[in-house]
Amino acid sequence: MSENLDRIDRRLLRLLQKDGRMPNAEMAQRVNISAATCHRRVQRLSAEGYIRNIRAQLEPARLDLATLVIVGVVLDRSTTDSFETFEQAVRDMPAVLDCYLVAGDFDYFLKIRVKDMADFNRFHASRLLALPGVRQTRTFFVMKEVVDESPLDI
């Protein structure tokens, strides 16, 4: 599908990844097209699914959510039903930022934001271990976020 993108489309996508609030007129100027053409292209890129959403990236520490935790989860069964049940339950947990079904020693990796270690301990005991089908978890506290939300290399 990406072969449908020309040089201008790719430049627009790169600009939007860097600054989703960039005014249309400024984007148009940077890629040497008219504002109307720029608007139509961005609308088309959205409609065709190249742009999933545009949102603000918040500073977790300012919101008292400075602790980032990665949790590996092993389910007690590897069935379609157990995966669907687990995934639906995880979707209803605001502290879980991302959930990935993976191959290997774990079934899932969860990216979780909490206030601190004590907050995670409460979350782990009351929410994580209560998730349907969880047999085992392994917790990794992130010491430093080296790369986070990097733009795609297009």
Side-chain angles (χ1 to χ4, degrees):
M1 194 193 256
S2 64
E3 61 272 356
N4 297 333
L5 298 176
D6 64 16
R7 180 181 54 82
I8 292 172
D9 289 336
R10 290 178 188 279
R11 288 181 66 197
L12 289 171
L13 290 172
R14 280 193 295 272
L15 288 171
L16 285 169
Q17 282 189 111
K18 287 181 186 173
D19 181 3
R21 291 179 44 161
M22 183 179 294
N24 184 65
E26 185 178 341
M27 268 194 304
Q29 183 179 14
R30 287 193 184 196
V31 298
N32 283 332
I33 58 177
S34 73
T37 299
C38 182
H39 179 74
R40 282 193 303 273
R41 280 182 176 252
V42 171
Q43 292 299 98
R44 178 183 52 79
L45 290 167
S46 290
E48 292 178 359
Y50 290 100
I51 300 170
R52 199 171 16 190
N53 62 39
I54 296 175
R55 60 188 176 146
Q57 191 169 358
L58 306 180
E59 176 52 55
R62 298 279 300 170
L63 299 165
D64 210 15
L65 295 168
T67 303
L68 181 60
V69 185
I70 307 297
V71 177
V73 176
V74 178
L75 299 183
D76 57 8
R77 295 184 321 249
S78 293
T79 65
T80 303
D81 288 342
S82 63
F83 287 164
E84 287 175 5
T85 303
F86 176 84
E87 290 170 13
Q88 186 54 52
V90 167
R91 283 186 191 98
D92 295 333
M93 301 174 84
V96 176
L97 304 179
D98 297 305
C99 174
Y100 304 101
L101 175 64
V102 297
D105 293 337
F106 297 96
D107 293 313
Y108 290 91
F109 277 111
L110 307 178
K111 182 178 171 183
I112 299 170
R113 275 262 177 221
V114 292
K115 178 179 179 177
D116 53 26
M117 196 175 294
D119 190 26
F120 177 76
N121 192 35
R122 285 187 295 276
F123 179 79
H124 182 265
S126 67
R127 303 291 310 271
L128 276 183
L129 294 180
L131 283 168
V134 172
R135 182 179 79 202
Q136 175 187 5
T137 64
R138 182 163 302 155
T139 301
F140 305 89
F141 283 90
V142 175
M143 295 170 54
K144 179 180 178 183
E145 295 175 53
V146 179
V147 177
D148 184 40
E149 297 289 327
S150 271
L152 297 176
D153 184 20
I154 56 169

